[in-house]
Amino acid sequence: MSPAAQSAVTVYLGPTRAEIEAAREVVAEVIQPTPMEKSAYLEQVLGAPVWLKAENLQRTGSYKIRGAYNRLSRLTDEEKARGVVAASAGNHAQGVALAAQRLGIAATIFMPAGVALPKLQATRAYGAETVLEGTTFNETLAAAQAFTERTGAVFIPPYDHEDVITGQATLGLEIIEQVPDVETILVPIGGGGLISGVARAAKLHADATGRSIRIVGVQAENAAAYPPSLAAGEQVTIAVEPTIADGIAVSRPGDLNFPIVRALVDEIVTITEDDLARAILVLLERAKLVVEPAGAAGVAAILAGKVRATGPTVAILSGGNIDPLLMQRVIAHGLEASARYLTVRIMLPDRPGQLATISQILAEVGANVVEVHHTRHGNGMQISQVALDVSVETRGPEHRAQVLQHLEAAGYAPIVEPAE
């Protein structure tokens, strides 16, 4: 393509206000406007009013139904007759399944073989045929695309489509209506569908009213494809490391999403696994809300000090579909990351009374024992030694340090163990 022809190419920067308003009329058939909860605790942390947009309470447990329903509603009768297919480990699967059920379209959802049972059951409950194939999402996606080629079913992408972006933009309209003076919106990012839509809706409103609205994207540190892509000026594919935030674990920005993010998003920050676990715990205890790791990304950024704001701030809780078994592990990590749970290994001489001595030391410093494991077997242990693994409840960083100092002062060398 010649330079002149390249300059004539129009880059898609999202839907118009009229298109977003039209999509809202469509998705109103299936979604429910979700609550906007104010958080006094997070306001103290940030130093500015903080609101939580509770899309974890949305139909199917996440915002994904917005984009899925808008896309499926725009299919032709011929396309609807061919059925739809999607690849997803959870939220997109449920959104497509419910949208297809409501519109009378046959849906086939490909999911990884190790998908969490609650997500699989929910997808099936919405009437979709589910196919478990692949151990990674890329393998699952390849299987879904092969199915599309064989059958002619319409593939429904999770984020990289104009109709999907427009559907997600309806969330931006709700935020502006519920918090008219919003100055900062925190949005979890995977491929970029949600932030593309929300940023577009927010910036259109800001331009029309002469206001300024900052859009801050939040990615999991182990799956952060946008920072290197933006630095390079083009999409970069990264190797995704293990993360509990599977809902935003995407290795490459979407083709349509990347230009929108580059043009409209003001800042992108990353957060750690401990940040996510801490955020889930805070949302449970302070807001009484069950939120999945990806959905807690905005709150994690606030708690980690990654966000600066002086005016009303909205954190989108993008989903609440968390496996109870993962929740159990995350709570343990969140308690440990918040210095409220401590597991130590202490090497002891193998003689009577040692366990009682340790218990007395812990009681003196006010640490409540939760679990004890006592063994003579282990690598590097001498015949005359035993290992004591003891887990205790602590009351924060100062108390945690006090417990360790008390043990050390008594002549022991406690080794801090990571949370299970």
Side-chain angles (χ1 to χ4, degrees):
M1 182 181 295
S2 68
Q6 286 179 331
S7 64
V9 174
T10 301
V11 177
Y12 176 70
L13 292 180
T16 65
R17 177 65 184 246
E19 289 170 335
I20 301 172
E21 292 283 7
R24 179 157 67 168
E25 294 296 321
V26 171
V27 302
E29 300 170 3
V30 68
I31 71 159
Q32 55 190 19
T34 50
M36 185 73 78
E37 302 287 345
K38 193 169 186 182
S39 173
Y41 176 75
L42 291 173
E43 181 173 348
Q44 291 177 350
V45 174
L46 185 62
V50 176
W51 298 84
L52 303 173
K53 179 54 172 168
E55 281 293 284
N56 58 310
L57 303 179
Q58 185 57 264
R59 296 283 301 274
T60 74
S62 90
Y63 73 93
K64 287 285 192 178
I65 182 61
R66 296 173 182 268
Y69 193 80
N70 190 55
R71 173 68 186 121
L72 267 65
S73 70
R74 294 178 63 83
L75 296 177
T76 66
D77 290 341
E78 185 271 334
E79 288 173 324
K80 291 177 180 177
R82 284 153 47 193
V84 297
V85 60
S88 170
N91 289 346
H92 181 55
Q94 294 174 62
V96 172
L98 177 59
Q101 182 187 66
R102 290 294 299 269
L103 293 168
I105 302 171
T108 303
I109 311 295
F110 283 76
M111 307 182 82
V115 66
L117 183 61
K119 294 180 179 181
L120 175 62
Q121 291 175 329
T123 303
R124 287 175 173 170
Y126 291 126
E129 179 182 347
T130 57
V131 179
L132 301 182
E133 190 161 339
T135 56
T136 67
F137 178 72
N138 285 340
E139 293 174 355
T140 304
L141 177 61
Q145 292 171 334
F147 179 86
T148 297
E149 292 173 2
R150 285 197 315 271
T151 66
V154 179
F155 182 74
I156 307 298
Y159 48 83
D160 208 355
H161 193 282
E162 293 181 12
D163 294 338
V164 173
I165 293 170
T166 305
Q168 317 308 20
T170 63
L171 178 54
L173 294 185
E174 278 188 32
I175 291 171
I176 292 164
E177 290 171 355
Q178 291 174 313
V179 186
D181 58 346
V182 61
E183 293 183 9
T184 301
I185 303 176
L186 308 180
V187 192
I189 309 183
L194 178 60
I195 199 167
S196 297
V198 170
R200 180 61 170 172
K203 296 298 185 178
L204 285 171
H205 179 75
D207 291 344
T209 57
R211 295 180 52 231
S212 175
I213 301 177
R214 291 178 64 244
I215 305 296
V216 179
V218 187
Q219 287 208 289
E221 193 175 83
N222 288 356
Y226 269 94
S229 295
L230 292 171
E234 61 183 8
Q235 294 149 285
V236 173
T237 301
I238 64 165
V240 173
E241 300 294 331
T243 176
I244 58 174
D246 59 343
I248 52 174
V250 178
S251 63
R252 180 182 174 86
D255 293 335
L256 291 177
N257 313 111
F258 180 70
I260 299 174
V261 171
R262 182 170 55 183
L264 303 181
V265 173
D266 298 280
E267 184 181 5
I268 292 179
V269 300
T270 62
I271 36 89
T272 68
E273 300 300 286
D274 279 351
D275 294 335
L276 289 165
R278 190 182 302 114
I280 290 171
L281 189 61
V282 165
L283 287 165
L284 276 172
E285 290 190 319
R286 300 285 184 163
K288 317 306 177 192
L289 291 169
V290 175
V291 181
E292 65 188 78
V299 172
I302 292 174
L303 294 173
K306 297 293 184 72
V307 177
R308 289 186 296 273
T310 57
T313 299
V314 173
I316 298 176
L317 309 181
S318 57
N321 294 317
I322 183 169
D323 181 356
L325 294 176
L326 175 60
M327 173 71 83
Q328 184 179 30
R329 300 201 307 273
V330 166
I331 289 174
H333 276 279
L335 288 170
E336 197 278 334
S338 302
R340 292 170 52 196
Y341 191 86
L342 173 65
T343 298
V344 294
R345 167 162 285 201
I346 307 169
M347 305 307 297
L348 302 172
D350 190 7
R351 59 173 181 262
Q354 292 300 303
L355 180 56
T357 299
I358 295 297
S359 297
Q360 180 61 36
I361 292 171
L362 293 172
E364 289 171 357
V365 77
N368 185 44
V369 176
V370 176
E371 187 175 12
V372 173
H373 180 67
H374 186 272
T375 181
R376 289 186 174 91
H377 309 290
N379 292 333
M381 289 178 58
Q382 300 177 13
I383 295 176
S384 60
Q385 281 184 320
V386 295
L388 178 68
D389 294 331
V390 56
S391 298
V392 298
E393 294 175 340
T394 51
R395 298 187 298 274
E398 291 183 3
H399 187 221
R400 175 190 171 107
Q402 188 180 6
V403 170
L404 295 172
Q405 290 167 3
H406 214 61
L407 288 166
E408 290 166 355
Y412 298 100
I415 302 170
V416 177
E417 298 284 314
E420 290 295 332

